[in-house]
Amino acid sequence: MKKILLSISSAVVILIIQTLYSGCNPSKNISSNSTSLKEGFKNEFLIGTALNATQIEEKEPNAAALVPQQFNAITPENIMKCEIIHPDWDRYDFDLSDKYVEYGKKHKMFIVGHTLIWHSQLAPFVSKIKSSDSLLMFMTNHINTVAGRYAGKVDSWDVVNEALNEDGTLRNSVFLQKLGDDYIRKAFELAAKAAPNTELYYNDYNIEQPKKRAGAIAMIKKLQTSGTRIDGVGIQGHWRINGLPLEDIENSIIEFSALGLKVSFTELDITVLPNPWDLKGADVNQNFEGSPYMNPYPQGLPDSMQIKLAKCYEDLFKIFIKHQDKIERITFWGVNDGQSWLNGWPIKNRTNYPLLFDRNFKPKLAFEKVMALTQKK
Ligand code: XIL
């Protein structure tokens, strides 16, 4: 009986929410008179997306049409990372990165370089480097060659990515181990020389969280005191539908901006799936693969979740709009749900729904809710 009452009451709640949101089809075509994200927010901030190799090469007609229609900034999802662009000590592969930059130029977009110094997706040779001198030489060659090649073309570089631990201390990466904490200053100085007119960003996830944020602020202040140029901070924005940290996000915008920096949200997506780290004692590994509990929506996102996701995006964009004077760019990490990395991370082969466009490139309710805010401004 209790169970029946419970499900009736939850059905009623969902019905009320749906009624409140009525008129919003969870997934419908953009009508010719509704404007795009980039138009809607043209006076506030840039709206970006991350592109994979297929999209850069315009091999996918739907993405080729949607990206220039909706976005005015781009980030390469993978192809400028060390393992691809600099696979061996003396070998660089600029094939896709040149195409990426051409794509951005062709569509008159703001072009982001991602990323110069990061402990992940390094070419295998880097971890085999023995001496500090050689690692410094790698860093110097890498930044000079990659940032130098695109000087005047790439508008903003993520110079250093994810250098911090959750407690705000510096991550024990190969760079910290061999070069000490000064490697961050060196990276920014090299980038400033190689690409003098490019914005230089520090980029990380969870830096809206108080401890990590304090660590980021201390690191940035140290750079600034030493006279090193840093122009912006990128809050990645890989968040969850349960527990979006709105207050921390707002405080972060205010605090980072108070350092005289531009603030951008550089990798925005909101996972709707259960997270293995929420389960006490859970091992993050293949054990969860194929488990219906961890992959609850293989056939489609229920309306109740669609509505919840839309509310998250609406709440977020309200904060972004409120602090538009401090924000340079909002970039989504992917074009549509089907292409999001969150279908494969942290558990492989799941069906996630973290973005504004669905698997058929159709705008979701979240898109409508975000666009509706542009009418109210
Ligand atoms: C991710 C890509 O989306 C995946 O395709 C790749 O397999 C792993 O990296 N933080 C970052 C991004 O700075 O570069 C990461 O991108 C996501 C987390």
Side-chain angles (χ1 to χ4, degrees), residues 140-172:
T140 309
N141 293 343
H142 182 75
I143 295 179
N144 283 345
T145 312
V146 178
R149 183 179 184 90
Y150 299 113
K153 293 180 177 160
V154 160
D155 296 292
S156 177
W157 267 109
D158 292 340
V159 179
V160 175
N161 199 32
E162 302 181 356
L164 293 164
N165 293 315
E166 297 308 291
D167 66 359
T169 58
L170 283 182
R171 182 191 289 274
N172 193 20

Side-chain angles (χ1 to χ4, degrees), residues 80-93:
M80 276 183 162
K81 292 173 181 172
C82 174
E83 66 179 1
I84 294 178
I85 209 167
H86 188 177
D88 284 307
W89 178 266
D90 50 7
R91 191 163 64 87
Y92 292 84
D93 185 347

